[in-house]
Amino acid sequence: MEKPDGSKYILLTEGRATVLYENENQVFYNPVQQFNRDLSTCAIRGWSEEYAEQKTAAKRNQRKKRKLRNDMQKMSAKENLKTEEELKAGEEVAPTNIMEVHVPDPTTDEANTEAGENDTQAAHGERKKAPFITILEALSATGLRAIRYGLEIPLIKTVLANDFSPSAVKAIERNVAYNDGAPGVVAASHGDANAVMYSHKTKPFHVIDLDPYGTAAPFLDAAVQAVCDGGLLLITCTDLSILAGTGYPEKCFTNYGGMTCRTEFSHESALRLVLSSIASAAARYGKAIEPLLSLSIDFYVRVFVRVRNSPIQGKLLASKTMLTYTCSGCGSTSCQPLGRVSINEDGSQKHSFAQGPPVSSHCEHCGFVHHLGGPMWAGPLHNKDFIDRIQKITETLNPEIYKTIPRIKGMLTLAKEELDDPFYFTAAHVSSTMRCSCPPMTTMTSALLNAGYKVSPTHAVPGAIKTNANWGVIWDILREWIKMNPVKESNIKEHSPTKKLLERREPSFAVDFTMHPEANPPSRRIKIARYPLNPPNWGPKARAKGDKPFNNHKVQGPGSEPVPDAPNKREIGDENEEVDTKKQKRT
């Protein structure tokens, strides 16, 4: 295809890519979503470098083992040949004349081999790694994201930009032809996203990016089968009214196989529900996942997950999955793993049933009943080494091209500081429950740190606190705070959670509010953009439409690239239609 004449179109540039629109009605572009695409580009680049290093190290180890095996075979052959010659000559072989066989020392030989390789590289120069990474953007629309991947990530060999809409495919082809360097790297594909992924089970992609409008649940089974061993999945879900809301628990279970939590940490539980759904899909095929970065951003969640072919790791899924018991009165939460793993003396694993529940029928703190949440992911949300790698990459980027670098740095710094312990709370929420004045955040964190517990902020909510302390400790800190800042008894109702919580006025340990040196997290001290304000009209755009009726599997994400020539009518199969219908009935 010849390069289009840009003067005949409306041009829109982001990163190193430019997309063309025939008229203003086709422009479906949300600048806030540039953060998503900038971060995804950095993440894929960081993953690809790590993946290439691991493959190079694996090949080097194979060469060393092969060389060691060959040396042993040659030495054994020489020894046998000398013995045969001595026997033929009738000579008596003296013990002192036996040939000494040198058994290579792996540590010494490895050092010598690496030194030799380093000398060779110094003499001939570092060999440049050839591009080899293949990427599928299953819901590509105009192809802006795919073109950016192809132009901005060094190790990319091919990017397949797929869409179900014929007009979208034409737009992809036009945009690829317009961007110098994209032809030959980015290719357009017309097809159903799941069908494309299922067709690549035997020739999987290194990276698969899914950014739908609404839930990504219909694509997960195909995605985990179409990604290679050690490959990367980038998945967006924008249905936070279902994932983080409390009005549609049945829909949440339908999409993700778990119930959302009726509490203030719903955005973290949304991330854990999505990860649990991905892990369950992968485990069916003997695969296991490792969350590298899991973020709740604006109106959606975005997860970066490594998938490995490991049936043994897949068997750990039950122990990495949990139920939650959240008190309907005070909000105290307890977690219950679904499985238990013990290590035998020989290093083998024994899987057994978990013991529970961790709570009684009523809350031990206020006496109210519990609400059940999950099953959801119980493991870590982030890989700190992976975050370090991305942070190093951001230092090399041009801020004129990557305009969201300050926000990326702030979000990554917060994610790196987070504890792996599930869930968070806010001082404002627990103070509201106790009907007392809200202690400053540093006062609350100091009390926890002085008691010997760990604390951290969270990227999901400003002012929230993550800790490994149990809820009894948190309520005791509030009891001590109330002794210093009394509450009005007239504000406490007879049968409220506050009444039960204050029946015991004295805390169970000596609470110390002395300012702790680590009460302020590093991200707060270095003055980075931790929680930047969103610009006007930052929210999700209207849903993009295709050329003819279609189902959930072909629609695009809010803020993602548009599908041109889209009709303005609601299509059947939209999971949000059910939500809208319920709202109308209630009003």
Side-chain angles (χ1 to χ4, degrees):
M1 182 177 181
E2 296 183 358
K3 184 175 181 178
D5 184 1
S7 62
K8 298 180 180 179
Y9 299 91
I10 299 174
L11 304 183
L12 194 153
T13 300
E14 180 185 289
R16 298 185 184 279
T18 301
V19 291
L20 310 177
Y21 295 97
E22 294 181 344
N23 55 70
E24 294 184 358
N25 294 330
Q26 291 181 342
V27 179
F28 180 84
Y29 176 76
N30 189 349
V32 174
Q33 279 293 86
Q34 182 175 356
F35 171 76
N36 185 323
R37 290 182 281 270
D38 286 352
L39 177 61
S40 299
T41 301
C42 296
I44 296 176
R45 181 175 170 182
W47 169 88
S48 64
E49 292 175 357
E50 182 181 4
Y51 184 85
E53 292 170 3
Q54 292 173 350
K55 290 297 181 182
T56 302
K59 291 180 179 179
R60 184 183 298 115
N61 290 334
Q62 289 178 355
R63 288 195 299 268
K64 291 177 182 178
K65 291 179 180 179
R66 186 163 54 247
K67 184 178 182 301
L68 177 62
R69 185 170 57 252
N70 293 337
D71 290 344
M72 294 292 292
Q73 291 175 353
K74 290 179 181 179
M75 285 185 248
S76 177
K78 289 180 180 179
E79 182 183 5
N80 293 335
L81 179 60
K82 182 175 181 180
T83 303
E84 291 178 0
E85 291 176 351
E86 291 173 347
L87 290 175
K88 288 180 180 179
E91 297 178 358
E92 183 177 356
V93 181
T96 55
N97 293 331
I98 296 178
M99 178 180 179
E100 293 184 0
V101 179
H102 169 66
V103 179
D105 182 0
T107 57
T108 305
D109 281 19
E110 182 176 350
N112 293 337
T113 304
E114 289 182 353
E117 290 179 354
N118 293 336
D119 292 341
T120 303
Q121 291 176 355
H124 300 285
E126 186 70 26
R127 182 175 297 177
K128 187 177 180 181
K129 189 73 176 180
F132 67 100
I133 300 295
T134 58
I135 299 179
L136 169 66
E137 190 193 3
L139 308 165
S140 192
T142 60
L144 172 58
R145 187 187 298 262
I147 295 171
R148 287 196 59 183
Y149 290 166
L151 296 179
E152 299 173 17
I153 305 176
L155 295 177
I156 299 303
K157 181 180 180 181
T158 57
V159 182
L160 187 63
N162 178 77
D163 202 276
F164 193 76
S165 167
S167 60
V169 175
K170 292 180 181 178
I172 295 171
E173 293 174 344
R174 180 175 64 241
N175 293 327
V176 170
Y178 184 79
N179 287 269
D180 297 333
V185 178
V186 183
S189 169
H190 179 212
D192 175 89
N194 281 329
V196 172
M197 288 187 284
Y198 281 128
S199 66
H200 281 78
K201 289 168 58 177
T202 57
K203 191 177 180 181
F205 297 96
H206 291 94
V207 180
I208 296 178
D209 192 326
L210 296 172
D211 187 11
Y213 190 107
T215 178
F219 312 104
L220 298 183
D221 184 81
V224 296
Q225 296 185 71
V227 68
C228 71
D229 183 17
L232 181 67
L233 291 180
L234 299 86
I235 297 175
T236 299
C237 292
T238 65
D239 55 337
L240 286 188
S241 61
I242 293 171
L243 269 172
T246 59
Y248 313 97
E250 76 288 353
K251 189 63 177 177
C252 184
F253 190 85
T254 300
N255 286 349
Y256 302 100
M259 305 290 282
T260 186
C261 296
R262 192 185 186 95
T263 184
E264 62 175 338
F265 54 74
S266 58
H267 282 261
E268 181 175 332
S269 67
L271 285 168
R272 295 185 179 277
L273 284 168
V274 173
L275 290 173
S276 177
S277 186
I278 301 170
S280 298
R284 298 187 189 102
Y285 304 101
K287 300 185 177 186
I289 71 165
E290 178 192 1
L292 300 178
L293 184 63
S294 310
L295 301 176
S296 174
I297 309 167
D298 299 333
F299 49 85
Y300 61 93
V301 293
R302 180 74 163 170
V303 296
F304 303 80
V305 177
R306 177 159 37 213
V307 181
R308 296 192 184 277
N309 297 340
S310 177
I312 295 178
Q313 290 295 320
K315 292 178 181 179
L316 298 176
L317 178 59
S319 61
K320 294 181 179 180
T321 305
M322 66 181 179
L323 298 173
T324 63
Y325 294 84
T326 303
C327 175
S328 59
C330 64
S332 302
T333 302
S334 299
C335 300
Q336 169 65 62
L338 292 184
R340 184 172 59 175
V341 179
S342 56
I343 307 298
N344 298 323
E345 294 181 357
D346 59 355
S348 61
Q349 298 176 347
K350 180 181 179 181
H351 300 267
S352 57
F353 297 98
Q355 297 177 355
V359 296
S360 61
S361 59
H362 290 75
C363 176
E364 62 175 316
H365 305 293
C366 70
F368 278 60
V369 297
H370 294 95
H371 287 157
L372 196 63
M376 64 181 67
W377 179 257
L381 297 179
H382 317 292
N383 181 307
K384 305 301 172 62
D385 294 334
F386 182 74
I387 295 176
D388 283 337
R389 188 179 288 269
I390 301 179
Q391 287 179 320
K392 291 178 181 178
I393 291 175
T394 60
E395 298 297 332
T396 66
L397 301 179
N398 185 351
E400 295 298 325
I401 297 176
Y402 295 85
K403 301 182 184 298
T404 63
I405 286 180
R407 188 182 183 190
I408 291 176
K409 290 181 178 179
M411 185 75 78
L412 292 178
T413 303
L414 286 167
K416 185 179 177 180
E417 289 179 344
E418 282 189 22
L419 295 176
D420 291 335
D421 299 86
F423 307 133
Y424 53 83
F425 73 94
T426 61
H429 177 78
V430 294
S431 300
S432 175
T433 302
M434 296 292 269
R435 296 292 188 268
C436 67
S437 61
C438 180
M441 181 177 176
T442 53
T443 301
M444 196 74 187
T445 55
S446 293
L448 289 165
L449 289 167
N450 291 330
Y453 297 100
K454 298 178 181 179
V455 298
S456 77
T458 174
H459 76 278
V461 176
I465 302 171
K466 297 195 77 171
T467 180
N468 61 342
N470 59 54
W471 277 90
V473 173
I474 296 172
W475 295 130
D476 278 344
I477 292 174
L478 266 295
R479 290 186 181 99
E480 185 67 21
W481 175 257
I482 289 174
K483 289 172 63 178
M484 302 164 55
N485 303 270
V487 299
K488 292 183 178 180
E489 298 292 338
S490 58
N491 291 339
I492 303 175
K493 296 182 179 180
E494 183 62 29
H495 300 290
S496 65
T498 310
K499 186 71 173 178
K500 289 285 185 180
L501 288 168
L502 291 179
E503 283 182 354
R504 181 168 61 84
R505 296 280 179 163
E506 292 297 325
S508 59
F509 67 98
V511 179
D512 182 7
F513 288 113
T514 304
M515 182 63 67
H516 194 279
E518 298 179 6
N520 259 330
S523 60
R524 193 175 183 182
R525 295 196 296 265
I526 61 178
K527 304 296 184 182
I528 61 172
R530 301 196 308 163
Y531 306 100
L533 295 176
N534 288 310
N537 303 318
W538 62 271
K541 299 286 187 177
R543 181 188 188 126
K545 305 298 180 180
D547 306 289
K548 50 188 177 183
F550 51 90
N551 294 324
N552 271 356
H553 64 274
K554 60 163 289 184
V555 295
Q556 315 302 314
S560 298
E561 300 76 49
V563 176
D565 303 320
N568 293 318
K569 63 179 181 179
R570 176 176 293 277
E571 299 293 345
I572 299 174
D574 182 8
E575 72 277 6
N576 295 320
E577 184 175 12
E578 180 180 351
V579 176
D580 295 338
T581 303
K582 286 189 175 182
K583 289 182 180 178
Q584 292 174 4
K585 289 181 179 180
R586 291 178 181 178
T587 56

